[in-house]
């Protein structure tokens, strides 16, 4: 929403600067490069596909394994992954009433997923894990940040009657890079080929600015490595959560949880969650009122129906005090299990780039 608007504004400003520089013969090449990069922001898939060719698989950053955590170096920050396995609970979904289950899960989620960290909730064929990713541009601040997060998570687990154990760095790595993934070998010839092809297109075919830029950038992949999944595994990505646009009763939520629990020993499900920013929450309310006003003014039932869906989401936030989370997901399962998850509102679809959730 706001991020998309910012990106379009940035592309417009870069393009304007590039056009201005191209009008000056001595700076034509610089202007061409700026326009190329700005257009590439509108079509980032070109860069991803170029990287996939260069690396032989989906590009993911290298993760180093330490004794109690995993570490990842990004452009301007360092990220630490710590994990816990949850292997017993005092009361599971079959032991609680609908109302108690509702309050229990609401309390658990709201105390676990907080702040600016990213959380990976993982179901791996009957085993349950929570992995936290903490990032900072101050490396010296990481030890204290890890200590606070571990203490907070342990207190929350104990408060909700969960038995747990901290995971080693190698165990965390196996969650982030599951056993159905294979690391591709780096191929210098492919990178050299992309560099040559990108250079030729850049100088000889100006109309293909975004393509040539994608090829040139992909020829220098840095610490990225390609990953492929085994042919015997069917992978799906989370397309949407339809229940977000409804106001289900507590009984509906409870029955859906029971259904998911019944297939949890057969699937690999990874959900990446972050607390939703405030502007996204406000956008839900604005969308509800905007669609309603537009639908009534134009007498369009489809737009009024859209507003009703967003009003339902807004009611859950204001009346039930439900928190908003940004969610993406990866699923390894059969088509039958995908259909079961669809009945509870989780829509998973085949994707050509399913591993983006692991970024």
């Amino acid at each position: 929403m706001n991020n998309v608007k910012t990106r379009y504004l940035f592309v417009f400003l870069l393009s304007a600067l590039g056009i201005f520089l191209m009008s000056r013969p001595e700076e034509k090449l610089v202007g061409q490069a700026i326009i190329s990069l700005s257009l590439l922001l509108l079509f980032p898939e070109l860069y991803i596909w170029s990287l996939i060719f260069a690396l032989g698989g989906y590009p993911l950053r290298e993760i180093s394994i330490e004794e109690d955590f995993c570490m990842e170096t990004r452009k301007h920050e360092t990220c630490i992954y710590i994990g816990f396995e949850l292997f017993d609970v005092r009361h599971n979904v079959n032991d609680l009433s609908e109302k108690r289950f509702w309050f229990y899960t609401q309390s658990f989620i709201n105390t676990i997923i907080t702040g600016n960290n990213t959380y990976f909730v993982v179901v791996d064929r009957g085993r349950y894990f929570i992995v936290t990713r903490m990032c900072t541009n101050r490396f010296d601040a990481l030890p204290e940040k890890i200590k606070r997060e571990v203490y907070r998570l342990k207190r929350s687990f104990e408060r909700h009657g969960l038995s747990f154990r901290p995971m080693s760095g190698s165990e965390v790595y196996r969650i982030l890079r599951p056993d159905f993934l294979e690391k591709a070998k780096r191929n210098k010839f492919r990178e050299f080929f992309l560099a040559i092809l990108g250079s030729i297109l850049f100088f000889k075919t100006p109309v293909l600015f975004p393509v040539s830029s994608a090829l040139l950038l992909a020829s220098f992949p840095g610490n990225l490595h390609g990953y492929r999944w085994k042919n015997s595994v069917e992978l799906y990505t989370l397309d949407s959560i339809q229940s977000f646009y409804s106001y289900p009763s507590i009984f509906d939520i409870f029955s859906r949880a029971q259904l998911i629990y019944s297939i949890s020993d057969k699937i690999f499900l990874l959900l990446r969650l972050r607390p939703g920013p405030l502007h996204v929450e406000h956008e839900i309310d604005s969308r509800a009122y905007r669609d309603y006003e537009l639908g009534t003014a134009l007498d369009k039932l489809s737009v009024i129906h859209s507003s009703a869906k967003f009003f339902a989401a807004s009611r859950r936030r204001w009346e039930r005090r439900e928190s908003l989370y940004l969610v993406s997901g990866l699923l390894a399962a059969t088509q039958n299990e995908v259909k079961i998850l669809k009945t509870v509102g989780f829509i998973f679809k085949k994707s050509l780039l399913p591993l983006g959730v692991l970024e």
Side-chain angles (χ1 to χ4, degrees):
M1 298 171 184
N2 283 3
N3 290 337
V4 173
K5 293 178 181 177
T6 302
R7 185 174 67 176
Y8 283 131
L9 177 61
F10 188 61
V11 168
F12 174 77
L13 294 176
L14 276 181
S15 299
L17 176 61
I19 292 172
F20 171 74
L21 292 175
M22 286 188 68
S23 65
R24 307 170 66 177
E26 68 277 9
E27 295 177 337
K28 183 177 180 180
L29 188 61
V30 177
Q32 180 177 317
I34 292 176
I35 291 177
S36 179
L37 291 174
S38 66
L39 292 175
L40 188 58
L41 291 175
L42 291 178
F43 308 100
E45 296 81 7
L46 293 174
Y47 175 59
I48 297 296
W49 282 110
S50 299
L51 272 176
I52 290 174
F53 176 81
L55 299 172
Y58 189 87
L60 294 174
R61 294 181 180 86
E62 183 72 2
I63 295 179
S64 60
I65 302 174
E66 305 297 333
E67 183 178 356
D68 298 320
F69 58 87
C70 288
M71 185 165 65
E72 178 185 81
T73 302
R74 301 195 170 202
K75 191 171 183 180
H76 300 296
E77 59 187 4
T78 301
C79 297
I80 296 293
Y81 296 84
I82 60 171
F84 293 88
E85 180 179 6
L86 311 179
F87 55 86
D88 197 9
V89 63
R90 187 179 303 143
H91 299 291
N92 65 30
V93 68
N94 295 317
D95 299 329
L96 299 170
S97 65
E98 294 91 337
K99 191 172 183 179
R100 288 190 64 194
F101 173 79
W102 162 254
F103 286 113
Y104 187 89
T105 51
Q106 276 286 94
S107 173
F108 177 70
I109 293 173
N110 290 337
T111 56
I112 290 293
I113 303 172
T114 61
N116 295 320
N117 297 338
T118 300
Y119 296 86
F120 298 86
V121 179
V122 182
V123 178
D124 187 4
R125 301 169 188 88
R127 299 177 68 187
Y128 308 92
F129 307 91
I130 290 181
V131 175
T132 305
R133 180 173 70 200
M134 298 164 285
C135 298
T136 180
N137 54 9
R138 290 182 52 208
F139 187 79
D140 59 324
L142 275 173
E144 185 60 31
K145 194 170 184 178
I146 294 171
K147 185 178 178 180
R148 289 198 306 268
E149 180 71 2
V150 169
Y151 176 76
R152 187 185 67 80
L153 289 174
K154 285 183 176 180
R155 286 293 302 272
S156 182
F157 295 152
E158 292 167 353
R159 174 185 172 187
H160 293 90
L162 286 165
S163 298
F164 62 93
R165 66 172 185 85
M167 298 167 64
S168 66
S170 58
E171 289 176 314
V172 173
Y173 184 85
R174 285 195 293 271
I175 291 295
L176 301 172
R177 302 291 183 265
D179 56 10
F180 53 78
L181 296 185
E182 299 174 332
K183 191 174 183 180
K185 291 183 178 180
R186 294 286 286 267
N187 190 323
K188 293 295 183 182
F189 174 77
R190 289 187 177 190
E191 297 172 16
F192 178 74
F193 173 77
L194 288 182
I196 296 299
L197 180 60
S199 299
I200 294 173
L201 291 177
F202 185 79
F203 289 104
K204 298 295 185 181
T205 316
V207 71
L208 296 177
F209 285 168
V211 176
S212 59
S213 293
L215 297 176
L216 287 170
L217 290 173
S219 65
F220 301 97
N223 70 334
L224 295 174
H225 289 268
Y227 286 84
R228 300 176 298 221
W229 58 95
K230 298 177 181 177
N231 293 331
S232 59
V233 177
E234 293 185 274
L235 287 188
Y236 302 84
T237 54
L238 182 63
D239 184 67
S240 64
I241 303 177
Q242 293 299 312
S243 58
F244 172 77
Y245 302 103
S246 63
Y247 194 87
S249 66
I250 292 177
F251 175 77
D252 289 335
I253 295 171
F254 183 66
S255 60
R256 291 174 186 179
Q258 286 180 314
L259 190 56
I260 295 174
Y261 183 71
S262 69
I263 63 170
S264 62
D265 60 339
K266 303 174 185 177
I267 63 175
F268 175 91
L269 173 63
L270 183 147
L271 297 177
R272 184 181 67 185
L273 299 96
R274 287 197 67 181
L278 190 60
H279 71 81
V280 175
E281 295 186 359
H282 290 164
E283 183 66 22
I284 294 172
D285 299 337
S286 300
R287 176 71 181 272
Y289 286 105
R290 186 169 62 246
D291 285 359
Y292 179 76
E293 291 170 351
L294 183 63
T296 52
L298 301 177
D299 197 22
K300 292 282 290 184
L301 289 177
S302 59
V303 182
I304 294 175
H305 177 65
S306 173
S307 73
K309 294 194 298 183
F310 281 93
F311 272 124
S314 183
R315 284 183 61 198
R316 292 173 66 170
R317 186 165 70 91
W318 290 109
E319 296 179 12
R320 287 183 175 172
R321 294 293 187 264
E322 291 187 31
S323 300
L324 179 69
Y325 302 100
L326 304 181
V327 184
S328 55
L330 175 68
L331 174 68
T334 64
Q335 290 187 2
N336 183 57
E337 288 146 4
V338 171
K339 291 178 181 177
I340 292 175
L341 290 171
K342 184 177 181 180
T343 63
V344 298
F346 287 87
I347 310 301
F348 284 89
K349 291 186 177 180
K350 283 286 187 69
S351 171
L352 294 175
L353 305 172
L355 302 183
V357 67
L358 299 175
E359 294 178 336

